[in-house]
Amino acid sequence: MAKVILISNDDGFDARGIKVLERALEGLGELVVVAPDSEQSASSHSLTLRRPIEVKQLDKRHYRIGGTPTDCIVLAMQVVLDRRPDIVVSGINHGPNMGEDVHYSGTVAAAVEGAILGVPAIAISALQRTIEDDEENGRLARTVVEMALEYGLDNKSLINVNIPDPEVAPVKGFKITKLGSRVYENFIEPSGKIPLQTHYTIGGQAPVWNTDDDGSDIAAIRMGYVSITPLHLDPTHYQGIVEMERWKFKQ
């Protein structure tokens, strides 16, 4: 029986990146695209509650969802698909998702939801926002998916992939990495010049990345490697448990 590959994203059903991904994965299995009707960037793991969500089927394998990336995966698993997918692939995102940004990313959230539901999952992003070299990004994405299907992933885990910008450095290969770190400067900006400022924009300038962290996703990208970061759903700080056992709580 052919493997079922569930494709989603946060840039929306009509985004260029998801079309690149779908083309790239042709032949690996039965592809089903379940993606947000509109852009949901930085939606993180938002789940729509107490509001009806439209599921619009366009053909046998394409569905537009009036909700978030997380909604898409939940509805795909419980409504759209007649059997469990073998893997969830989210992307290709228009822009990076590295370091702490994985906590904000809707692209990563779709993969996280797949892992929560017990399905191996991959989030894929490309630093070249214009995605001029579509087919190369697709080829690199396919390679990672093929490896995940061949070797498998640990239970409750996922991988976060970032493809470097070939205009910055030629792609040299793949590196297994950890999450790096970044700092946003002027993250909050006033929205207009009025005497009593009441409106602000969250966004600000581009992040400043810590490029001295060897082994990080950011360092790998700067050297021209596709960064592959394994993530796990368990965020428990186990050393913290050991240290906090010494706390003397008063009842």
Side-chain angles (χ1 to χ4, degrees), residues 3-244:
K3 294 185 181 298
V4 175
I5 300 174
L6 173 58
I7 298 173
S8 193
N9 72 348
D10 74 351
D11 287 320
F13 186 91
D14 296 315
R16 194 168 167 183
I18 198 170
K19 298 181 186 303
V20 172
L21 181 61
E22 183 182 2
R23 289 199 305 270
L25 300 185
E26 284 286 358
L28 286 184
E30 179 185 339
L31 307 182
V32 181
V33 179
V34 183
D37 186 61
S38 60
E39 184 179 351
Q40 299 287 323
S41 296
S43 60
S44 187
H45 208 90
S46 176
L47 183 67
T48 302
L49 299 176
R50 295 178 290 276
R51 178 179 69 79
I53 304 171
E54 182 180 20
V55 177
K56 185 183 301 183
Q57 182 175 4
L58 303 184
D59 54 40
K60 185 177 179 180
R61 77 180 197 187
H62 293 94
Y63 297 80
R64 302 181 75 115
I65 306 297
T68 68
T70 304
D71 295 335
C72 290
I73 303 304
V74 171
L75 288 166
M77 298 276 201
Q78 299 190 20
V79 176
V80 172
L81 298 174
D82 56 8
R83 69 183 178 94
R84 194 179 194 81
D86 293 276
I87 195 167
V88 171
V89 187
S90 179
I92 298 172
N93 189 66
H94 302 172
N97 278 304
M98 301 185 294
E100 293 91 344
D101 282 350
V102 299
H103 299 290
Y104 302 109
S105 168
T107 303
V108 177
V112 168
E113 187 62 27
I116 287 174
L117 297 176
V119 177
I122 304 174
I124 305 175
S125 304
L127 272 72
Q128 189 178 35
R129 293 181 181 273
T130 56
I131 315 186
E132 293 176 0
D133 194 353
D134 285 346
E135 303 314 314
E136 175 63 6
N137 284 342
R139 183 187 70 80
L140 294 167
R142 181 186 176 104
T143 297
V144 177
V145 174
E146 287 176 331
M147 292 294 99
L149 288 172
E150 179 178 352
Y151 291 98
L153 294 174
D154 290 341
N155 188 38
K156 300 298 182 181
S157 68
L158 61 145
I159 56 179
N160 184 48
V161 179
N162 281 275
I163 300 172
D165 186 345
E167 294 184 1
V168 175
V171 178
K172 299 175 181 177
F174 300 84
K175 276 191 179 296
I176 309 303
T177 63
K178 63 181 179 180
L179 289 179
S181 185
R182 62 97 180 95
V183 176
Y184 279 99
E185 296 181 350
N186 299 324
F187 192 45
I188 306 296
E189 295 181 335
S191 296
K193 298 179 180 179
I194 54 179
L196 182 61
Q197 183 58 253
T198 57
H199 292 72
Y200 298 85
T201 299
I202 298 177
Q205 300 175 1
V208 177
W209 297 100
N210 178 6
T211 58
D212 297 326
D213 189 2
D214 291 341
S216 71
D217 47 7
I218 298 152
I221 286 295
R222 286 182 64 86
M223 291 188 294
Y225 289 94
V226 176
S227 167
I228 303 176
T229 307
L231 304 178
H232 200 274
L233 296 182
D234 183 0
T236 305
H237 181 20
Y238 288 97
Q239 183 58 37
I241 292 177
V242 174
E243 295 173 358
M244 292 175 68

